[in-house]
Amino acid sequence: MSRRCNENGVRIYADVVLNHMAAINPKPIIGSAGSMADPENFSYPSVPYKFNHFNKPCDILDWNNETAMRNCQVTKGSRDLDQTQEYVRNKIVDYMNELIRLGVSGFRIDSAKHMWPSDLEIIFSRLNNLNVDFGFASNSRPFIYHDLKDSGTDTDTMGRWEYTHLGMITEFAVPGELGRAFRGKIKLKYLRNFGPQWNFLPSKCAIAFVEDHELQRGLGMGSGPDILTNKNGKSYKMAIAFLLAHPYGTARLTSSYNFRHVDDGPPSNMFGEIESPITSDKDDRCQHGWVCEHRWNSIANMVRFRNEVYGSSYSNWWDNNGKQVAFSRGEKGFTVWNLDDYDLKENMQTCLPAGTYCDVISGTKNQNKCTGTKVEVNEEGIAHIFLSSDDANGVMAIHTGAVLG
């Protein structure tokens, strides 16, 4: 799998849980590969881990106490590993290096705030370079980012700066702020200075996103009524387009499946085997329980937009003092949003070279034709933009990779 993905430019990042082992269960539990565990007795024979490899059980009663945050149990009954021990460190390093051997590109560090940065630094320093057998350049290091939730009140707010030298950080303030904006709770014009001025992490440190697997289910710190998901249709697509058009942070997308209950697993057959997504020939979307947001035209084409404008400046902001906004990405791209209840009709400076461009939200460029809306840019870089308030996407985007001719 990893070889096939890497050959097609798709990198794999493993979500690793290094802080703790499985929580107490009424009976000894069996892992997906058949490994046994008895959490009540701190017994994980497949590693093996025993009682002396864990911190003394305790609950986090004060979330401003960094010692409790990092030495106590992240959830009731979960067994908190003691990463100060060489044995524990070596077992974690062996696990991560095995994943590197199998062709992964890096790691998402689950519950990072619950581990001491000094311990993680030692562990990361012992990781191997990426496996050249999977096409990686010699001496390439794993890409690492930390799952570090920020409620604005607990240790995360202060402590996340201790992790920035170890990798990137999930900026959990972004989903809520973009949710408020594209739910219409604040005017889109306020997004003009979106970024560190909003008390976000510096762009070079931040993983920016609209939702994740927990926020989608109303779980975890940062969840709430402002979070947008695929069930929010137009507002969700507008927020994703802004995330991908704006230069702040490294963008992360969620591609998911339908669920009724929080703990529902992915679509499976009667034997519990996960079923592959089935793609519709008509619109390239997934069926049979899979949502596959990454295939949506408005999202897939905005990923291409982001790649096309990479490294260009964020400039030429325009707004109507309300819920209609636009900006350029240097001379490579231009994007417009309309969340108002009336149509947007404006002559706008796009900063793009003259030509006929395909709006990559309503369609795409296919054999030098537009399957969606065309936008004419004149010699002065000006285009007449029409974006209906009834538009199903609420956003229009053009870039130099989608010009005809």
Side-chain angles (χ1 to χ4, degrees), residues 303-368:
V303 172
R304 297 187 182 100
F305 178 99
R306 188 176 182 88
N307 291 334
E308 187 73 24
V309 305
Y310 178 77
S312 60
S313 62
Y314 164 66
S315 58
N316 195 35
W317 176 272
W318 174 93
D319 66 65
N320 70 336
N321 199 36
K323 296 180 181 180
Q324 296 176 354
V325 300
F327 61 80
S328 300
R329 290 297 304 274
E331 298 179 351
K332 293 184 177 181
F334 182 74
T335 319
V336 187
W337 290 261
N338 183 11
L339 194 60
D340 259 322
D341 55 5
Y342 57 91
D343 297 342
L344 186 158
K345 303 175 184 179
E346 290 284 339
N347 290 324
M348 294 186 172
Q349 175 56 254
T350 68
C351 296
L352 294 176
T356 301
Y357 292 80
C358 298
D359 167 33
V360 298
I361 301 295
S362 61
T364 190
K365 177 184 174 182
N366 185 12
Q367 296 182 343
N368 208 37

Side-chain angles (χ1 to χ4, degrees), residues 2 41 63 91 102 120 152 235 243 262 267 288 376 400:
S2 54
N41 293 306
W63 290 75
K91 286 297 181 181
L102 294 173
L120 289 177
S235 294
L243 175 79
V262 167
H288 295 274
E376 300 288 343
T400 50

Side-chain angles (χ1 to χ4, degrees), residues 36-290:
M36 301 288 292
D38 182 4
E40 185 171 5
N41 293 306
F42 294 82
S43 176
Y44 301 86
S46 293
V47 183
Y49 285 139
K50 300 178 181 178
F51 180 84
N52 58 301
H53 299 130
F54 296 87
N55 288 312
K56 183 179 179 181
C58 56
D59 296 326
I60 303 174
L61 302 178
D62 180 2
W63 290 75
N64 288 304
N65 184 319
E66 66 176 12
T67 300
M69 284 274 289
R70 291 164 175 169
N71 288 352
C72 291
Q73 300 171 134
V74 62
T75 57
K76 190 76 173 179
S78 61
R79 297 315 193 187
D80 195 80
L81 285 164
D82 180 3
Q83 288 92 2
T84 65
Q85 297 186 35
E86 277 296 294
Y87 178 86
V88 173
R89 289 173 179 169
N90 288 334
K91 286 297 181 181
I92 291 173
V93 170
D94 289 346
Y95 163 57
M96 297 177 76
N97 278 337
E98 174 63 8
L99 289 171
I100 290 172
R101 186 188 71 80
L102 294 173
V104 305
S105 301
F107 305 94
R108 171 192 179 268
I109 310 300
D110 183 84
S111 302
K113 66 178 180 178
H114 295 284
M115 293 175 281
W116 293 96
S118 55
D119 292 333
L120 289 177
E121 185 170 12
I122 293 170
I123 290 168
F124 296 162
S125 71
R126 298 176 183 176
L127 296 182
N128 295 334
N129 293 331
L130 297 183
N131 191 343
V132 295
D133 291 342
F134 289 85
F136 300 111
S138 297
N139 301 317
S140 296
R141 298 297 294 162
F143 177 87
I144 292 175
Y145 74 95
H146 300 83
D147 172 45
L148 251 167
K149 297 180 178 65
D150 181 359
S151 69
T153 58
D154 64 26
T155 306
D156 301 342
T157 308
M158 300 173 288
R160 61 184 183 170
W161 294 98
E162 299 178 59
Y163 297 83
T164 53
H165 70 292
L166 299 173
M168 301 190 79
I169 310 293
T170 47
E171 181 47 271
F172 269 85
V174 167
E177 296 295 358
L178 288 182
R180 287 203 306 141
F182 289 100
R183 284 182 181 275
K185 295 184 178 181
I186 61 173
K187 293 181 178 180
L188 295 187
K189 70 171 186 175
Y190 296 127
L191 294 173
R192 179 170 189 160
N193 67 343
F194 189 79
Q197 296 94 322
W198 291 44
N199 286 327
F200 297 163
L201 287 161
S203 182
K204 66 179 181 180
C205 301
I207 298 290
F209 53 104
V210 171
E211 58 162 337
D212 68 2
H213 60 291
E214 290 184 326
L215 296 180
Q216 189 183 66
R217 289 160 172 75
L219 299 174
M221 206 171 290
S223 63
D226 295 332
I227 299 300
L228 292 168
T229 73
N230 62 66
K231 297 177 182 179
N232 298 115
K234 179 177 179 178
S235 294
Y236 176 72
K237 289 185 281 188
M238 292 180 75
I240 293 289
F242 187 89
L243 175 79
L244 293 170
H246 198 279
Y248 176 74
T250 296
R252 183 184 70 180
L253 303 178
T254 298
S255 191
S256 59
Y257 54 85
N258 291 319
F259 60 91
R260 293 184 179 180
H261 306 291
V262 167
D263 292 328
D264 284 352
S268 304
N269 61 25
M270 61 184 295
F271 302 107
E273 300 166 334
I274 297 175
E275 295 185 333
S276 297
I278 297 176
T279 307
S280 165
D281 293 333
K282 181 180 180 181
D283 56 11
D284 208 30
R285 292 198 178 197
C286 294
Q287 300 176 339
H288 295 274
W290 292 95

